[in-house]
Amino acid sequence: MMAKIVECVPNFSEGQNKEVIDAIAQAIASVEGCSLLDVDPGVSTNRTVYTFVGSPESVVEGALNGARMAMQLIDMRKHHGEHKRLGALDVCPFIPVQGVTMEDCANCAKIFGQRAAVELGIPVYLYGYASEQDHRKTVPQIRAGEYEGLSEKIKKPEWKPDYGPAEFLPFWGATIAGARKFLIAYNINILGTKEQAHRLALNIRTQGRGPDQPGRLTEVQGMGWYLDEANMAQVSLNLLDFHQTSVHTAFEECVKDAKELKVGVCGSQIVGLVPLEAMLMAADYYVEKENLFILSEDQKIRLVIERLGLSSISPFDPKTRIIEYLIETCEDGPLVSMPLRQFIYSLGSRSSAPGGGSASAAIAAMGVALATMVGWLSYGNKKFEALDAQMRNLIPPLRQAMLDFIPMVDADTSAFSAFMDAKKLPKNTPEEQEIRDKAMQDGLKASVYIPLNVIKTATKVWNPMVELAKVGNINSKSDLQVGARSLETAVWGAFYNVKINLKDITDDIFSKQVLEEVETSLETAQEKCKEILNILEERNS
């Protein structure tokens, strides 16, 4: 089963005292099951953003442990900074990452609030998906008046905390806990004043200058401030839903307005972590805008770092700033993670798994990888310059198929293992027999779907391979010949794996449809492979 992973991003009102910052970090990291991913202090804001992940239970405990330490070390009566705040632990959001729903995260916020109120005696407000009150749904609504106005605000019935005492605690203030989508804290650097930065923020943030003058972008909060340590101002934005307003959209809109003000923009800064998807969305934007040809993920990330100037204040290291790279939610399976020698030994061992299905997927990946290589060797070379536009069309589907085949190597073995597990189920009663029979049929169908997917994926790339054979780098002729033969062999292997599993499936309609599909695809594979080989055999240049 997929592990349940929740992200927690508490913001504590201390960004200058390293001892306090480190003590809170250690308190969070000491909780079993909590992985502290990032600690991002801000001197001018006097605020530190901590990012950690774990199970729902562990992240709640981690947040509470951080709050316990903050209670000993932070005194809000002495706190001053550029960032708005309500308390020592100002805001504590829980965000779904893997295997959990937004409702699960809202429950984390409620459990945290209940325990913080009882164990620490602090007032806690709920926000976002954890709140059911429209007038106090967002952080700005709850934080209005800030710490300085809380002593009077908390006495009002409509501002009674969801948990804890309805009284002002001078040393602490109040805490806001909730559940939300992934928020990207994003700052754009300008060589101007705090007032100019704030003017730019007013232009683009959702609420704008008020109900009669809304901003241009949706799901965006923003303000301007000045960074003394960097000697520049920042347009500080919270992108509440990066699918509604992306990082690159916010940056480009700010650049456009800054030009009108004759103010220089010198890069930007992501505070904390960023989802990989947000970075790739920005990459796709610049690739299309500048008509670039970039396919590899690491090069796309490099492009975004450069175009957005993400290393302008401190180096942006993708390995430590992109959340998927840190938590590795999409690890490769055990077979494709093996050295090639070990994979071959596994195939040759006294075990039926891995078997022909995994081998077929691996052969398919290698076959189309060779075709991809020929595409690259025909692109960006002065000798083949006339082919660049054509290669831009041919390489992407070949490379994508190569990537798609890789997880099928492990998927085939996993499907077979599930079928074997089903065979071991008890069958002592009619009910047990029925459950076992269904599990076995499901396992057989899963064992059909993987090689069927190998065949379908191969079918998508025969035409690009034919076109590549006509014009590709003639010096790589043999590589494409091997690639075509390998892909045809992989289709044959997948075909045999489909057939052997179909014979035991009791769903005749399903079996008939699948068999017709794979037989047609096999004919296509034979015809296209022959066509590619004939084209290459006749080419001399």
Side-chain angles (χ1 to χ4, degrees), residues 168-204:
F168 180 58
L169 304 180
F171 71 93
W172 182 267
T175 293
I176 311 168
R180 59 163 173 79
K181 297 178 182 179
F182 201 106
L183 178 152
I184 301 176
Y186 183 54
N187 302 329
I188 300 165
N189 310 323
I190 71 164
L191 301 177
T193 65
K194 174 182 176 180
E195 290 72 20
Q196 288 172 320
H198 193 62
R199 181 175 170 182
L200 295 177
L202 294 175
N203 290 347
I204 62 177

Side-chain angles (χ1 to χ4, degrees), residues 136-375:
R136 44 200 273 183
K137 197 85 172 173
T138 69
V139 169
Q141 287 173 326
I142 300 169
R143 200 190 273 149
E146 294 191 61
Y147 167 81
E148 286 76 13
L150 184 61
S151 59
E152 294 301 319
K153 183 176 181 177
I154 201 168
K155 298 175 185 177
K156 299 176 181 178
E158 66 270 26
W159 288 105
K160 179 183 177 183
D162 291 283
Y163 304 104
E167 61 181 87
F168 180 58
L169 304 180
F171 71 93
W172 182 267
T175 293
I176 311 168
R180 59 163 173 79
K181 297 178 182 179
F182 201 106
L183 178 152
I184 301 176
Y186 183 54
N187 302 329
I188 300 165
N189 310 323
I190 71 164
L191 301 177
T193 65
K194 174 182 176 180
E195 290 72 20
Q196 288 172 320
H198 193 62
R199 181 175 170 182
L200 295 177
L202 294 175
N203 290 347
I204 62 177
R205 71 181 188 182
T206 304
Q207 75 176 68
R209 290 171 171 77
D212 298 330
Q213 292 181 287
R216 296 198 302 271
L217 303 181
T218 59
E219 297 293 322
V220 176
Q221 298 168 341
M223 62 181 292
W225 62 39
Y226 199 83
L227 284 183
D228 290 322
E229 64 269 26
N231 192 28
M232 64 184 177
Q234 285 187 320
V235 181
S236 178
L237 305 174
N238 282 338
L239 308 182
L240 306 178
D241 185 344
F242 67 87
H243 294 103
Q244 295 292 319
T245 294
S246 60
V247 174
H248 60 273
T249 298
F251 182 76
E252 293 295 332
E253 288 295 308
C254 192
V255 167
K256 182 176 68 176
D257 285 7
K259 284 182 179 178
E260 293 180 5
L261 285 179
K262 294 181 172 54
V263 170
V265 174
C266 54
S268 61
Q269 173 193 33
I270 289 174
V271 180
L273 303 182
V274 62
L276 175 62
E277 184 184 2
M279 296 292 284
L280 294 180
M281 285 169 61
D284 290 343
Y285 168 80
Y286 289 109
V287 165
E288 182 177 356
K289 178 183 178 183
E290 301 172 28
N291 194 27
L292 305 174
F293 188 54
I294 300 175
L295 295 180
S296 69
E297 189 170 286
D298 62 333
Q299 288 190 350
K300 287 185 174 183
I301 299 302
R302 282 174 177 265
L303 177 69
V304 175
I305 294 171
E306 174 63 29
R307 294 296 183 269
L308 298 181
L310 293 179
S311 294
S312 55
I313 292 181
S314 59
F316 182 93
D317 180 3
K319 294 179 181 178
T320 61
R321 303 301 298 281
I322 297 176
I323 188 167
E324 286 84 353
Y325 292 175
L326 278 168
I327 64 176
E328 298 180 341
T329 57
C330 300
E331 292 182 352
D332 287 331
L335 294 179
V336 298
S337 299
M338 287 180 180
L340 179 60
R341 182 191 299 272
Q342 188 61 45
F343 178 63
I344 294 171
Y345 285 168
S346 296
L347 285 174
S349 66
R350 191 180 177 86
S351 170
S352 55
S358 291
S360 297
I363 293 167
M366 287 188 282
V368 78
L370 284 168
T372 306
M373 179 192 78
V374 175

Side-chain angles (χ1 to χ4, degrees), residues 8 20 26 68 86 105 117 133 145 190 208 218 228 259 272 277 333-334 338 346 366 490 505 508 515 539:
C8 186
V20 174
Q26 290 168 11
R68 292 186 187 101
L86 195 67
C105 291
Q133 302 184 61
I190 71 164
T218 59
D228 290 322
K259 284 182 179 178
E277 184 184 2
M338 287 180 180
S346 296
M366 287 188 282
I505 291 178
D508 293 336
L515 188 59
R539 281 188 63 193

